[in-house]
Amino acid sequence: MKKHALLIFTTVASGTFLLSSCGGSSSAQTPFERLGGEQGIRKVVDDAVPCLATDPNIGIFFRGLSADSLERIKVCLTKQLCAAAGGPCTFPTTITYTSPVDGQQRTYTCRPMRAAHQGMVGPDGKGIANDDVDSFKACVQQSMQKNGVPQDLQTAVLNILESQRNDVVDDRNK
């Protein structure tokens, strides 16, 4: 279950999370810059987690996750979005993060979408379903709205998330 939650959260991996924390946009700015850099991306990621954890479709996959697992999810997702938005990050990547449980440094390898979601099983005995992806997208949109992402950028993000559906949804659910 814990592995499932970590991997479903990375659905956003290849998408660009476009947060306009710098106010207006400029065609000279990269999406990463419009996001407010890694700090802006992390803020949106942090705000999406409570929605994911309580969503009726995918919340089940987040129950029982340790604070360490949630931190790992947040750092991986932030790095993925940084790379997708034109920032200096690379993805997939190996991350080092500080465990909120004991303050120790930990290392984890964040994987590509297809590999991360392959073989995941939900409460119905099947893998990730279309409804799960829809719920994920709804939580991301809610977080973007909370963080002031302009509608045109929200649409772009949601389209990118949609383009990842086939890498995430289990073949038994298509």
Side-chain angles (χ1 to χ4, degrees):
M1 246 348 148
K2 291 179 182 180
K3 180 179 176 183
H4 187 77
L6 172 64
L7 300 176
I8 198 169
F9 192 74
T10 62
T11 300
V12 173
S14 295
T16 53
F17 228 72
L18 305 170
L19 174 64
S20 180
S21 64
C22 300
S25 66
S26 165
S27 60
Q29 288 185 310
T30 65
F32 174 77
E33 292 166 334
R34 292 185 71 194
L35 285 163
E38 279 192 66
Q39 287 183 334
I41 293 169
R42 178 61 190 249
K43 176 69 175 133
V44 175
V45 169
D46 286 348
D47 289 343
V49 170
C51 177
L52 295 166
T54 59
D55 181 85
N57 285 328
I58 58 177
I60 186 81
F61 303 120
F62 290 86
R63 288 191 193 126
L65 283 180
S66 69
D68 188 74
S69 293
L70 289 173
E71 181 63 17
R72 188 171 55 240
I73 289 169
K74 291 174 183 179
V75 175
C76 283
L77 184 55
T78 299
K79 294 295 184 185
Q80 291 169 324
L81 298 175
C82 169
C89 305
T90 58
F91 198 87
T93 189
T94 299
I95 59 166
T96 301
Y97 66 98
T98 303
S99 170
V101 175
D102 60 13
Q104 297 296 309
Q105 292 288 302
R106 302 238 195 296
T107 301
Y108 180 80
T109 299
C110 307
R111 300 181 295 154
M113 296 298 292
R114 187 171 295 279
H117 294 87
Q118 188 174 28
M120 293 172 60
V121 179
D124 62 357
K126 295 182 180 180
I128 296 173
N130 282 304
D131 287 350
D132 298 327
V133 175
D134 294 340
S135 293
F136 185 83
K137 287 172 57 179
C139 286
V140 170
Q141 185 169 27
Q142 180 181 10
S143 180
M144 288 189 295
Q145 289 169 346
K146 178 179 179 183
N147 285 281
V149 176
Q151 185 60 49
D152 65 319
L153 299 179
Q154 289 181 40
T155 300
V157 170
L158 296 174
N159 287 338
I160 292 168
L161 294 177
E162 184 60 34
S163 75
Q164 295 299 307
R165 187 178 292 269
N166 286 333
D167 287 340
V168 176
V169 174
D170 188 280
D171 288 336
R172 296 172 289 182
N173 291 319
K174 291 182 182 173

